[in-house]
Amino acid sequence: MRKYIRLVGLCLAIFCSGFATQCFSQSVAIDPVVSTPINLKDLKVITRLVPPFVLKDNEKYEGFSVELWQAIATQIKAGSHFVEKANITEILAGVKAGEGDLAIAAISITSQREQEFDFSQPMFDSGLQIMVRSDNNGGFSIGQVWSILSTGAMPFLLGLMAALIIIPSHLVWYAERRGTSHFISQNYFPGIWQAAWWAIGAVAGQQPDSPASKWGRILAAMAILVSMVFMSYFQATITSALTIQTLKGDINGPEDLAGRKVGTTTGSTAAGYLKTLDVTPTEFTKITEALTALENKQLDAVVFDSPVLLYYAATQGRNKVQIVGPMLRKENYGILFPRGSNLRKPVNEALLTLRENGTYHALYAKWFSATQLAQ
């Protein structure tokens, strides 16, 4: 009897466990992502003008991203046409609203964007950099002068210069105060000021008057010898500091951007990065507008994607602008899809094929050899 009771209890336990599992799975089920239907005959490809990735010449699109997509489209046997947007914000909104089947330009892959969209595997290695005018190294601001005088050996040298004025001026005044000197008064004031003026002349190598007493002349000779050695070293030090500052300029890295007028594009990763530095960027619709403002001295710097800035510096901006500082943050570009797009897998396969057969490398060399970028 107990054997039958145990068997019945085991069956009930298995039934209840299965029923509970089914109910739980139904209660926590996640709605599957609905796949986006594909019309390979005429894919709508959203893009934006961002040389050298996307350019436009007589209504014809060209550039690295354009030719890369054309090669991918050939691989997956698809037809397509481009839909141009002004900036990355409009691109994201357009893909989300279904205005395009995908987007390609210079679109950074970020964790925030991954929450709303799908990306291909990385198609380009990039990062952020700083661009300034080539005349960034001209002239000196008060801040630069203070930086020169307050760093390195300069504080010590300035203190030594003060000592070479204060100490000899007191010694000479003491030696000359009871004599017949015609340029130093016997009274402490104004005598000490007259002696200090004499000491300044000694340091500078100019002495219109000489002490009359024996000890005064001995002190003067010693002061002149010490001052000659000191001034030679001081001049060499300050010349070196000025030369380095001239070569460096006043913006050399992200730490120099505070309080400056820095431009970038609306909604870009560069704009977000600048805000983490407590720098409020001046945002433009297109990067070309920011670069023009930089050349017209309306901005102090532009922060944007490294390959875009390097290409501009090597072409239109040659001898006008320059890149300064290290790469601020590494990023990857990808092809953007709506969530659940069936295009993602074939595009990834095509992208791998283009890398393996040398097509990707040939496109890279074509568009970035002038800027000497290293992939």
Side-chain angles (χ1 to χ4, degrees), residues 58-59 67 72 99 112 138 161 179 244 257 259 263 267 281 313 316 351:
N58 294 326
E59 301 303 317
E67 294 188 15
I72 292 173
E99 298 176 14
Q112 183 178 3
M161 178 184 289
I244 293 174
L257 295 177
Q316 292 174 270
L351 191 54

Side-chain angles (χ1 to χ4, degrees), residues 7 26 35 42 44 64-65 73 80 104 117 128 173 195 226 277 309 349 354:
L7 182 60
Q26 290 177 354
S35 299
D42 188 21
K44 292 176 288 185
F64 175 80
S65 293
S80 62
I104 187 171
F117 305 93
L128 302 178
W173 174 80
V226 173
L277 300 178
L309 297 184
E349 292 174 353
L354 295 177

